[in-house]
Amino acid sequence: MARLFTTVSSFVFVVVVLLLLSEVSLAAAAADADGDDDNPVVKKLCTGTPFPELCDSMITRYDQSKGANEESLVGMAALTSAKLLLNATATASPAVQRDSHPGLSKADEICFETCFKELTNAAQTLDKLCKSKVQLPQIDNFIKFNKESHVEWNCERCRQGEAKHIADDVSKDNEAGKAMAVLEVLVNKVLTK
């Protein structure tokens, strides 16, 4: 029995060491990738945006970002923004909110339904503006129209009491809202050149 315990312990130790070594290798590879693969055009575009690291990841997640022109890079950021808005729609769905918060009032449910529709329409519109050829002037108009209409890219207004403290895809500082703030700056940078 002691021999079995020693064998199992040795095996577990070896597995743990191998896992730790693989984590170190992955971290080193990621650090090398960050250091060696920086795209100067992306870096320049993302400088001055409210969330430069998010901006970088919104663009460089696409293989086509290497060697792409600024307009195409902004199109990639717009496509990522559309995807993040779609993520938010899944959380904003009244059915999801009812399941997550059984005491949801009818008024809050209606609010989430409205927010769900707004986020869905925005995601679909942005996605269409990125198909085939990116349409930056139309994306700019889309952003301006929504800003003038005081559209927010979250459903914070639908939450009451303790629910306001929930951090998710529809809370005040969600990824979709940050992405839209980045996109606004990127579009202005490229169109005002």
Side-chain angles (χ1 to χ4, degrees):
M1 187 71 170
R3 180 180 240 172
L4 178 64
F5 180 76
T6 304
T7 304
V8 171
S9 297
S10 298
F11 178 74
V12 170
F13 176 74
V14 169
V15 169
V16 169
V17 168
L18 289 174
L19 286 173
L20 288 173
L21 287 174
S22 69
E23 282 294 317
V24 170
S25 321
L26 289 173
D32 284 347
D34 287 346
D36 295 341
D37 237 6
D38 280 349
N39 184 332
V41 179
V42 173
K43 191 174 210 95
K44 180 183 169 194
L45 263 178
C46 290
T47 300
T49 63
F51 307 98
E53 290 169 2
L54 175 62
C55 175
D56 185 90
S57 70
M58 287 168 63
I59 297 169
T60 59
R61 68 186 296 180
Y62 300 98
D63 292 335
Q64 303 88 340
S65 67
K66 294 180 176 142
N69 64 27
E70 287 183 343
E71 186 172 323
S72 296
L73 294 172
V74 174
M76 292 172 204
L79 201 52
T80 301
S81 298
K83 289 177 181 180
L84 290 170
L85 286 168
L86 278 176
N87 289 349
T89 63
T91 305
S93 164
V96 169
Q97 289 299 317
R98 268 193 311 274
D99 288 346
S100 301
H101 311 286
L104 194 67
S105 72
K106 188 65 176 167
D108 290 346
E109 191 175 320
I110 291 168
C111 183
F112 273 108
E113 179 68 32
T114 302
C115 186
F116 170 80
K117 288 176 182 175
E118 288 171 356
L119 293 171
T120 302
N121 290 338
Q124 290 172 345
T125 300
L126 208 49
D127 187 57
K128 284 178 190 171
L129 294 173
C130 297
K131 295 295 181 190
S132 63
K133 187 174 181 342
V134 178
Q135 302 171 40
L136 287 187
Q138 289 84 350
I139 292 173
D140 185 45
N141 289 338
F142 166 79
I143 292 170
K144 285 178 180 171
F145 172 79
N146 283 292
K147 195 170 189 172
E148 289 168 4
S149 301
H150 305 287
V151 171
E152 294 189 27
W153 308 111
N154 63 67
C155 303
E156 190 75 17
R157 67 188 181 274
C158 302
R159 292 196 160 146
Q160 307 302 320
E162 287 301 309
K164 284 210 177 275
H165 302 294
I166 297 171
D168 60 14
D169 285 336
V170 293
S171 57
K172 188 171 174 90
D173 294 319
N174 66 2
E175 290 297 303
K178 290 176 182 177
M180 291 303 293
V182 166
L183 183 60
E184 181 179 5
V185 173
L186 292 177
V187 169
N188 285 335
K189 271 188 174 187
V190 173
L191 288 179
T192 58
K193 277 192 161 188

